[in-house]
Amino acid sequence: MKKTKIEDLKRIEINEFKKRKKSPVIIVLDNLRSLNNVGSCFRTSDAFLIQKIYLVGITGKPPNNKIERTALGATESIEWEHVNSISEIEKQLKKEGWKIVLIEQTNKSIPLEKFQPAKGEKHVFVFGNEVFGVSEDSLKCADLAIEIPQFGTKHSFNVAISVGIILWDYYTKTKASHRVKEA
């Protein structure tokens, strides 16, 4: 076994990335404090070809060196927009057929393994503040809440880890029906 060289990975350029068909996924980062988490979420979103990231409230936004440190250029490939509250975009997203899904522990959360996205559905996954979780505005907008099962003494994952878990789970459950292809 040997490591693959960078030049053999056949990574696409940003202009080609922008032309590619994207996964029917939007990420909402709801009042994140950590700029490193924001950058990591951009990088993971790039890896899964998601459509857009909404940066809500106090969430830091590019250009920012601390975000770039972990995004590694993904702020240039992923479309993003800053809004003050998810309620600013909720009606438009729902009108366009997006289902708003919180990644949060609530009295109505379903375990991640029971989440089965239907063919043709478009999902907005909302990730909340590192300490307080999703905002009250997000709770009011949600169609569904998903909880990532955990078995240790801690009750939450780092938000950047949660984004990776959710996007990987979504990909594995939809790869046959939402195969991402070149534009």
Side-chain angles (χ1 to χ4, degrees):
M1 182 182 316
K2 64 179 183 172
K3 291 169 69 173
T4 305
K5 296 177 184 175
I6 295 284
E7 56 272 10
D8 293 335
L9 290 175
K10 298 181 177 35
R11 298 289 184 214
I12 61 174
E13 297 294 326
I14 290 175
N15 60 347
E16 186 178 343
F17 178 94
K18 290 184 181 274
K19 294 177 187 174
R20 291 263 173 117
K21 180 178 168 127
K22 306 294 188 292
S23 297
V25 171
I26 290 174
I27 298 294
V28 172
L29 302 180
D30 186 9
N31 291 296
L32 267 60
R33 298 175 310 155
S34 167
L35 298 174
N36 290 328
N37 279 337
V38 174
S40 293
C41 293
F42 267 94
R43 189 170 167 189
T44 301
S45 296
D46 175 283
F48 287 99
L49 276 169
I50 67 119
Q51 290 197 10
K52 186 172 187 173
I53 294 178
Y54 282 99
L55 306 170
V56 176
I58 67 165
T59 304
K61 57 188 178 214
N64 184 299
N65 288 337
K66 289 183 181 179
I67 292 173
E68 287 304 325
R69 192 175 303 144
T70 51
L72 296 179
T75 58
E76 299 299 318
S77 57
I78 293 289
E79 182 181 341
W80 64 271
E81 182 178 339
H82 181 267
V83 295
N84 291 322
S85 168
I86 191 173
S87 59
E88 287 181 34
I89 54 172
E90 171 204 9
K91 287 180 184 164
Q92 185 61 36
L93 289 170
K94 287 188 175 191
K95 184 178 175 183
E96 294 172 3
W98 293 92
K99 189 172 194 174
I100 299 176
V101 182
L102 305 180
I103 310 307
E104 184 63 86
Q105 298 161 337
T106 75
N107 63 331
K108 295 187 179 180
S109 297
I110 64 167
L112 178 58
E113 66 270 19
K114 291 187 177 179
F115 172 63
Q116 291 299 324
K119 186 175 182 174
E121 279 185 335
K122 302 185 300 183
H123 294 89
V124 176
F125 293 115
V126 181
F127 299 86
N129 178 277
E130 295 88 343
V131 175
F132 303 110
V134 300
S135 64
E136 287 297 318
D137 286 340
S138 289
L139 284 169
K140 292 174 188 171
C141 295
D143 296 305
L144 174 70
I146 295 173
E147 186 171 334
I148 302 171
Q150 296 159 65
F151 309 101
T153 62
K154 301 302 172 196
H155 60 83
S156 66
F157 287 103
N158 174 282
V159 67
I161 299 300
S162 295
V163 168
I165 291 169
I166 293 297
L167 291 180
W168 176 251
D169 180 76
Y170 180 85
Y171 170 77
T172 61
K173 290 175 178 174
T174 63
K175 65 183 175 184
S177 64
H178 293 167
R179 182 78 60 193
V180 176
K181 299 177 185 170
E182 290 184 38

